[in-house]
Amino acid sequence: MKRLTALLATACAALLYAAAALVFPHYAAAATMTEVTNFGANPGNLRMYVYVPNNVQPNPAIVLAMHPCGGSGPGFYSSSEFASLADRYGFVAIFPSASKKANCFDNWSDASKVRGGQTDPVSLMSMVTYVEQQYHGDPSRVFATGSSSGAMMTNAMLALYPEVFKAGAAFMGVPFTCFPNEAAYQPGGNSAPCVGKTAQQWGDLVRNANPSYRGPWPRMQLWHGTSDTVVAYAELEEEVKQWTNVHGLNQTPTSTATPQAGWNLRRFADASGSVKVEAYSIQGAGHSLPTSGMAAVAIQFFGLTGASPSPSPTVSPSPTPTVTPSPTPTVTPSPTVTPTASPCRVVYTANSWNNGFTADITITNRGTTAINGWTVTWTWPGNQQVANAWNATVTQSGAQVTARNVSYNGTIAPGAGTSFGFQASYSGTNTAPSQFTVNGSICAIT
């Protein structure tokens, strides 16, 4: 889809922080997310945030969790379930923030395709090494996951450093080395080079990144929505080709399942029955993954739950973690409102600095029928003023704000979600709205 460049450019302007980073102690306080500076070589100019749960294991596993374009480490911490799963299973989670091309992780430069290239993968490896050294992280249990741009980087990290990462989970990604240059970084609707290579060609690109490596190769779990118009659903098959070929498997699954309504799972196992690749097609889902419960499936695939991987683990609800305020960015907590039988849920995350902020809003359809066209409204409790937005058309009259879907994200299937964001200014206190409505219905806020 060729509109992605415009979306990325808008998000880039929206997500620049206005203050410099502070230096924090080596150890984050338990059950808080802390920014770490001076974590090692950082040619990608990334920012590192680390989350250490109260029940962190003595030699914890490490999960590198990477945000989509236009996002941030604190935003993915708040909007995904990986922090609450760290609370449950005792691993350390790293939430990096990208800095290039609308806060996308670099998946296009020549340097991003070679081991030791002076760009984002080297910075991410520095973060992993830091956690191994400072938190006694277990080097035999290091994993990567991410959404969209973060999923693309998940593919890259497993390809470039296969001896480091034991498994990955990529939500809405593309194969390693998909993009030949920055100008081609338009995942949706781009028929070449991201679609059309043979499995052997895709596999060779991974093997050529480490010509002397003989395995074992990391296991890979792949997710994509069938209605994704930002990163084309066709990219899922290219990823399947790449990773099954790396593992010496063909593209015929060894088993299939429907673990939940609308979730179609294909598994690819070796001769011993060990599953090396999983592919989830989410019927009707757009560019909105992971949604509720999917992160838990990824963590179980990693083997961090103490049980064998299964397609649909049961996860007890955990409260959304609250980011401890820091000078840049400060995450404004949202109030919790739970209307009875609410047909929708809203997650609101604001990242503030001085007199400005950006906010991400995720809408989830809790009803039994699809939402076809959505309008979100809220009222500011203060003097907040929206300046620009992405993935929605946002207007403001006084304190009243209205956000409407754009052409490619108007449909939200039951159980699915979509996200949009904006940049705004404020003075005084940046208090979150106390109520959101979707098409006139009051939503639960989490």
Side-chain angles (χ1 to χ4, degrees):
M1 178 182 131
K2 296 182 180 179
R3 66 176 66 87
L4 183 63
T5 299
L7 291 174
L8 298 178
T10 302
C12 183
L15 290 166
L16 291 177
Y17 294 120
L22 295 182
V23 176
F24 287 83
H26 286 303
Y27 285 90
T32 65
M33 187 182 72
T34 300
E35 182 170 8
V36 176
T37 58
N38 300 321
F39 52 82
N42 186 19
N45 192 32
L46 306 187
R47 297 174 71 167
M48 176 184 179
Y49 300 86
V50 63
Y51 180 74
V52 182
N54 284 321
N55 65 330
V56 63
Q57 297 176 5
N59 296 108
I62 302 169
V63 175
L64 178 67
M66 294 171 282
H67 63 76
C69 284
S72 66
F76 201 52
Y77 162 87
S78 298
S79 63
S80 72
E81 297 174 326
F82 290 107
S84 61
L85 291 164
D87 287 331
R88 186 165 210 181
Y89 298 113
F91 59 83
V92 173
I94 303 170
F95 295 95
S97 283
S99 64
K100 300 178 181 67
K101 195 179 177 81
N103 285 21
C104 300
F105 291 99
D106 178 7
N107 296 280
W108 56 82
S109 72
D110 290 342
S112 72
K113 300 165 191 169
V114 296
R115 187 181 178 99
Q118 293 302 295
T119 187
D120 293 7
V122 169
S123 298
L124 295 167
M125 276 303 305
S126 294
M127 297 180 191
V128 170
T129 301
Y130 179 93
V131 172
E132 289 176 350
Q133 294 174 347
Q134 299 298 326
Y135 300 99
H136 309 291
D138 185 349
S140 70
R141 295 189 299 154
V142 180
F143 307 91
T145 187
S147 174
S148 191
S149 174
M152 300 172 195
M153 186 53 72
T154 296
N155 278 281
M157 296 304 289
L158 268 62
L160 293 171
Y161 301 98
E163 80 286 5
V164 174
F165 294 93
K166 303 309 174 186
F171 296 87
M172 313 177 303
V174 298
F176 171 60
T177 71
C178 174
F179 306 106
N181 50 51
E182 185 172 356
Y185 190 66
Q186 299 181 29
N190 187 1
S191 59
C194 299
V195 175
K197 285 184 172 62
T198 66
Q200 183 69 37
Q201 288 171 327
W202 281 127
D204 285 345
L205 289 167
V206 173
R207 286 183 287 269
N208 291 341
N210 287 276
S212 63
Y213 185 71
R214 295 295 179 264
W217 291 94
R219 296 179 302 117
M220 178 62 89
Q221 186 182 75
L222 306 164
W223 299 74
H224 224 109
T226 61
S227 297
D228 193 330
T229 57
V230 176
V231 178
Y233 174 62
E235 306 294 358
L236 175 63
E237 292 309 306
E238 306 306 299
E239 292 175 290
V240 169
K241 288 180 189 178
Q242 185 166 69
W243 288 104
T244 53
N245 184 265
V246 166
H247 283 283
L249 308 172
N250 61 39
Q251 280 76 66
T252 301
T254 52
S255 66
T256 60
T258 306
Q260 292 189 23
W263 291 22
N264 295 327
L265 167 62
R266 291 171 291 161
R267 281 183 165 142
F268 304 83
D270 62 16
S272 70
S274 176
V275 175
K276 301 301 183 182
V277 179
E278 289 188 342
Y280 283 85
S281 295
I282 310 303
Q283 297 301 311
H287 199 66
S288 58
L289 309 184
T291 57
S292 180
M294 294 180 181
V297 177
I299 294 303
Q300 193 165 28
F301 180 75
F302 295 165
L304 300 184
T305 63
S308 299
S310 67
S312 183
T314 300
V315 180
S316 301
S318 299
T320 300
T322 301
V323 175
T324 301
S326 59
T328 178
T330 300
V331 178
T332 304
S334 301
T336 299
V337 179
T338 310
T340 303
S342 172
C344 50
R345 182 176 68 245
V346 166
V347 176
Y348 173 87
T349 305
N351 299 305
S352 304
W353 66 89
N354 296 334
N355 295 320
F357 70 103
T358 60
D360 295 310
I361 295 179
T362 299
I363 315 160
T364 299
N365 179 4
R366 302 172 72 187
T368 58
T369 60
I371 295 173
N372 293 306
W374 48 264
T375 300
V376 182
T377 61
W378 69 90
T379 300
W380 291 121
N383 60 0
Q384 295 95 330
Q385 186 68 42
V386 175
N388 53 64
W390 52 96
N391 294 340
T393 301
V394 178
T395 58
Q396 182 170 345
S397 177
Q400 178 77 31
V401 184
T402 302
R404 293 181 173 86
N405 66 273
V406 289
S407 61
Y408 53 85
N409 64 357
T411 300
I412 310 176
T418 192
S419 299
F420 66 93
F422 57 85
Q423 181 182 19
S425 60
Y426 75 100
S427 62
T429 302
N430 187 20
T431 305
S434 60
Q435 180 175 290
F436 292 86
T437 68
V438 173
N439 294 348
S441 297
I442 298 175
C443 298
I445 302 177
T446 57

